[in-house]
């Protein structure tokens, strides 16, 4: 908003300068305390004894195993949810059927469930005392306290991210382009690849970005199903917890700093996407 | 404001103020059959995956809890320790949502209405709690607010204890909830029509009367939605809270932690009983949020 040329020429919907200064000051002080300070503290604590110990902490075999497991988990959960999101958005946005609002609410459900409960439900289904517990033991399949459980819990907590980004985007784009393609003889798959996909790719990327950040950072749900076996079932956030609880603060914060870098990269890419493709932001704020 | 030529449709309501439900204009329920293929396949995949990943596992909570007799259920779900945990969880989530409600409005106002250096960075940072793993936020906040931490060392002489007690829980939930309020308010504030403000001003209303009587009431439904989202997220939050909470039974133990404690003692049914209470509250919040949305669609 352009500054008024004279003090008295203030536009009626513009606030007085002192009010702006007070509001911006309050906001910066609040955000500084709540957001910037915690971010800065992670790097300060990680580098408390210099760069050497921090780098050593993230290159131990256990840290590497945690990084690898985190990448594997996100590498499965994110594509899974992307395919699901595309299917759900295609069915919901391009077709009419009764019960649509209910279906969308059910897809959103994991956002309202505590991560701890998200972990618990898979323990109840696949754990030793669970529905399939004995049958899984008979076949020597381990889901809880093993990687499949971690992947499942991660899929659950990130389930709505991509779908809720794509559904409103595809709905606003309507069906006329796809109908035109189909009426000229294009197959469904061809229509999707040549007509729909180019229209939604940035929205998809935006959803993938947010989904990935949550998948790599998930703690509560994964904590319940992981069993915390070092070098085997520890993801990066769980590794941070173990180091912190062992009072190995420099190492804990060094691994945490890696996760901070992931968060910062996510935010930078997200902002860049929002500036380059303003359409992507309509998915809502999760 | 409404006239018959330009009926308000869902289309004119900003996306984030709408429920995740209905988006875009409503079409008649049974329109002509869509010419676009793939409906059966994609809906089938959607329903199957939704059932296998979300609905069936969630039902396990209710089924497991129902293995308890009613008196056992009450003893597990509403034991003195559990009630103390609910009180802390809901109380801290409520206070945090109120604080975020106040600063969320100011933050959104500054981002939408003002220009200031570093605004783009501030705008991106608001989403930090979405992007930063909760455990990282947890250990960082615990370190900051511990009695010898960057912030804690200035609070201790004042007699304020901000870590390892309910205050610490609230601090963590303020961090987690902020973006929900800001990102829900933002599109609504951006779309506020300047005409109404100008009209109020030209009729002699002072700037603060305009803000108090015109702008804030128009933000009401979005504010309530943001508040409810922040509250709901806070109730379930675990990772950012446990490091700063202190986790003392009856005092600073949150409900999700109690579920984990029951699980570690292999009391699966008790864990399910507490989880069922939390799920019930989550669904209630979901209904409340949807009701606010339906209400705001009628009056916007």
């Amino acid at each position: 908003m352009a500054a008024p040329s004279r003090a008295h020429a203030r536009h009626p919907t513009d606030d007085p300068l002192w009010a702006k200064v007070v509001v911006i000051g309050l906001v910066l002080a609040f955000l500084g305390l709540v957001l910037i300070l915690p971010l800065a503290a992670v790097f300060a604590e990680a580098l408390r004894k210099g760069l050497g110990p921090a780098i050593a902490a993230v290159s131990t075999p256990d840290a590497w195993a945690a990084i690898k497991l985190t990448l594997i988990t996100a590498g499965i959960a994110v594509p899974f949810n992307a395919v699901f999101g595309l299917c759900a958005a295609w069915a919901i946005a391009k077709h009419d059927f009764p019960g649509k609002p209910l279906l969308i609410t059910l897809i959103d459900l994991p956002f309202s469930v505590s991560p701890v409960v998200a972990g618990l439900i898979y323990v109840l289904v696949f754990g030793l005392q669970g529905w399939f517990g004995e049958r899984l033991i008979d076949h020597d399949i381990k889901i809880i306290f093993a990687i499949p459980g971690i992947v499942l819990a991660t899929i659950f907590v990130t389930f709505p991210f991509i779908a809720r980004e794509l559904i409103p985007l595809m709905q606003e784009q309507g069906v006329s382009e796809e109908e035109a393609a189909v009426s000229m003889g294009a197959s469904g798959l061809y229509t999707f690849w040549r007509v729909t996909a180019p229209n939604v790719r940035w929205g998809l990327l935006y959803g993938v970005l947010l989904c990935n950040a949550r998948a790599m950072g998930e703690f509560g749900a994964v904590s319940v199903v992981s069993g915390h076996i070092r070098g085997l079932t520890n993801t990066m956030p769980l590794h941070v917890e173990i180091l912190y609880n062992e009072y190995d603060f420099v190492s804990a914060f060094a691994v945490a700093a890696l996760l901070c870098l992931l968060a910062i990269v996510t935010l930078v890419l997200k902002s860049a996407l929002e500036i380059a493709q303003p359409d992507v932001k309509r998915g809502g704020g999760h | 404001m409404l006239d018959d030529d330009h009926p308000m449709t869902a289309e004119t309501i900003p996306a984030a103020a709408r429920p995740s439900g209905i988006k875009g204009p409503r079409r008649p329920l049974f329109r002509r059959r869509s010419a676009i293929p793939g409906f059966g396949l994609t809906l089938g995949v959607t329903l199957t995956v939704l059932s296998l990943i979300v609905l069936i596992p969630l039902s396990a909570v209710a089924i497991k809890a129902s293995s308890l007799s009613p008196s056992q259920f009450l003893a597990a779900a509403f034991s003195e320790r559990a009630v103390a945990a609910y009180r802390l969880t809901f109380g801290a989530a409520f206070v945090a949502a109120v604080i975020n409600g106040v600063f969320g409005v100011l933050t959104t106002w500054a981002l939408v209405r003002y220009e200031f250096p570093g605004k783009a960075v501030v705008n991106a940072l608001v989403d930090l709690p979405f992007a930063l793993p909760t455990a990282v936020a947890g250990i960082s906040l615990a370190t900051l607010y511990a009695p010898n931490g960057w912030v804690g060392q200035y609070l201790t002489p004042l007699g304020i204890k901000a870590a390892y007690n309910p205050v610490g829980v609230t601090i963590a939930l303020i961090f987690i909830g902020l973006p929900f309020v800001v990102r829900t308010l933002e599109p609504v504030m951006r779309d506020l029509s300047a005409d109404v403000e100008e009209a109020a001003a030209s009729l002699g209303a002072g700037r603060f009367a305009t803000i108090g009587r015109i702008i804030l009431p128009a933000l009401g439904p979005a504010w309530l939605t943001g508040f409810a989202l922040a509250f709901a997220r806070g109730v379930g939050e675990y990772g950012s809270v446990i490091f700063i909470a202190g986790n003392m039974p009856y005092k600073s133990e949150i409900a999700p932690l109690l579920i984990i404690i029951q699980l570690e003692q292999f009391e699966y049914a008790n864990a399910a009983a507490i989880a069922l209470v939390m799920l019930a509250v989550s669904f209630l919040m979901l209904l409340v949020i949807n009701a606010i949305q339906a209400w705001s669609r009628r009056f916007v």
Side-chain angles (χ1 to χ4, degrees):
Chain A
M1 211 162 280
S5 51
R6 283 174 299 141
H8 296 288
R10 190 163 57 79
H11 192 266
T13 62
D14 208 3
D15 295 331
L17 183 66
W18 67 266
K20 286 188 187 181
V21 171
V22 168
V23 169
I24 293 172
L26 272 175
V27 166
L28 291 182
F30 178 72
L31 296 184
L33 193 66
V34 173
L35 301 178
I36 297 171
L37 216 50
L39 195 59
V42 173
F43 292 104
E45 293 290 330
L47 299 174
R48 181 170 281 255
K49 291 179 182 156
L51 198 57
I55 290 176
V58 297
S59 10
T60 65
D62 285 347
W64 271 111
I67 293 170
K68 221 167 93 185
L69 181 55
T70 293
L71 292 176
I72 291 171
T73 305
I76 300 171
V78 175
F80 182 94
N81 283 336
V83 171
F84 169 79
L86 283 168
C87 279
W90 185 265
I92 290 169
K94 304 294 180 192
H95 301 89
D96 273 331
F97 56 94
K100 227 189 246 191
L102 177 68
L103 179 59
I104 296 174
T105 304
L106 289 177
I107 291 173
D108 266 349
L109 207 52
F111 273 151
S112 326
V113 174
S114 170
V116 169
V117 177
L120 169 74
I121 60 179
Y122 291 109
V123 174
L124 293 178
V125 173
F126 297 113
L128 276 183
Q129 299 183 18
W131 292 349
F132 303 113
E134 284 177 22
R135 232 161 303 165
L136 291 173
I137 292 176
D138 290 345
H139 293 87
D140 207 22
I141 300 170
K142 237 173 140 29
I143 292 183
I144 298 305
F145 305 145
I147 295 173
I150 294 174
V151 172
L152 273 174
T154 304
I155 289 177
F156 182 96
V157 292
T158 56
F159 193 69
F161 274 96
I162 297 172
R164 75 141 51 217
E165 181 61 40
L166 289 177
I167 292 169
L169 189 66
M170 280 198 187
Q171 276 180 329
E172 288 190 23
Q173 286 168 353
V175 293
S176 48
E177 288 182 42
E178 282 83 1
E179 280 179 344
V182 170
S183 73
M184 286 188 283
S187 72
L189 211 55
Y190 187 85
T191 306
F192 173 78
W193 279 116
R194 302 306 288 267
V195 178
T196 312
N199 282 338
V200 300
R201 60 187 165 184
W202 298 115
L204 178 64
L205 184 62
Y206 193 78
V208 164
L209 211 56
L210 296 178
C211 183
N212 180 63
R214 180 70 193 267
M216 290 193 171
E218 178 49 30
F219 178 74
V222 168
S223 173
V224 173
V225 296
S226 135
H228 304 268
I229 309 163
R230 260 176 197 251
L232 283 179
T233 63
N234 262 348
T235 61
M236 286 173 78
L238 297 179
H239 192 56
V240 168
E241 181 199 22
I242 288 193
L243 293 170
Y244 184 85
N245 286 342
E246 287 172 348
Y247 303 102
D248 187 355
F249 294 133
V250 167
S251 301
F253 279 102
V255 180
L258 272 189
L259 289 167
C260 274
L261 290 178
L262 165 76
I264 292 169
V265 169
T266 302
L267 290 183
V268 169
L269 290 177
K270 179 174 175 290
S271 302
L273 255 182
E274 283 167 7
I275 292 166
Q277 304 283 334
D279 266 9
V280 298
K281 224 188 154 182
R282 59 198 56 200
H286 281 273
Chain B
M1 264 180 76
L2 295 183
D3 62 53
D4 291 332
D5 296 332
H6 298 95
M8 279 279 184
T9 64
E11 194 69 89
T12 55
I13 299 165
R18 275 184 250 140
S20 45
I22 312 141
K23 292 190 172 160
R26 258 186 187 276
R27 300 187 199 97
L29 195 59
F30 292 104
R31 217 179 40 148
R32 66 186 171 74
R33 220 178 113 70
S34 170
I36 300 169
F39 176 59
L41 175 72
T42 54
L43 189 67
V45 169
T46 303
L47 292 177
T48 309
V49 173
L50 180 68
S51 304
L52 289 178
I53 297 285
V54 179
L55 301 180
I56 295 172
L58 267 180
S59 72
V61 171
I63 292 169
K64 189 73 189 178
S66 68
S67 71
L68 295 167
S69 74
S71 62
Q72 282 174 320
F73 176 81
L74 288 177
F78 298 102
S79 66
E80 208 183 318
R81 187 172 173 184
V83 171
Y86 299 139
R87 197 176 296 141
L88 170 66
T89 304
F90 297 130
F94 184 83
V95 173
V98 169
I99 292 171
N100 277 329
V102 174
F103 284 97
V105 170
L106 289 179
T107 305
T108 318
W109 189 256
L111 285 176
V112 172
R113 291 299 182 97
Y114 301 157
E115 292 299 332
F116 54 93
K119 184 171 142 174
V121 176
V122 170
N123 187 33
L125 259 182
V126 166
D127 285 328
L128 180 70
F130 286 152
L132 191 71
T134 52
V136 175
I139 63 168
S140 184
L141 290 170
T143 306
L144 281 173
Y145 288 89
N148 58 352
W150 288 1
V151 181
Q153 59 180 318
Y154 299 108
L155 298 176
T156 314
L158 302 173
I160 301 170
K161 208 168 166 292
Y164 315 125
N165 64 1
V167 179
V169 176
T170 312
I171 289 172
L173 296 184
I174 293 172
F175 174 86
I176 285 301
L178 179 69
F180 289 94
V181 178
V182 175
R183 295 306 181 212
T184 312
L185 280 172
E186 193 184 321
V188 182
M189 211 181 266
R190 215 177 278 287
D191 287 0
L192 279 185
S193 155
D195 302 356
V196 190
E197 274 177 67
E198 280 170 16
S202 73
L203 290 172
R207 185 64 187 145
F208 290 101
T210 309
I211 290 176
R213 298 220 183 142
I214 308 286
I215 296 174
L216 291 183
L219 294 177
W223 186 87
L224 271 178
T225 306
F227 177 90
L229 287 171
F231 175 80
R233 174 69 201 263
V235 166
E237 180 55 24
Y238 176 72
S240 60
V241 177
I242 48 155
F243 295 100
I244 197 175
N247 306 328
M248 299 272 293
Y250 301 98
K251 285 190 185 129
S252 56
E253 188 177 63
I254 55 167
L257 177 64
L258 209 51
I259 295 177
I260 289 190
I261 290 172
Q262 296 288 350
L263 268 181
E264 282 170 353
Q265 295 166 351
F266 302 104
E267 300 284 0
Y268 286 22
N270 290 355
I274 299 169
L276 193 62
V277 173
M278 296 202 58
L279 276 180
V281 174
S282 305
F283 293 154
L284 196 69
M285 290 306 299
L286 210 60
L287 284 180
V288 169
I289 292 167
N290 279 340
I292 297 169
Q293 299 292 357
W295 169 69
S296 73
R297 256 201 307 283
R298 203 173 310 154
F299 289 106
V300 163

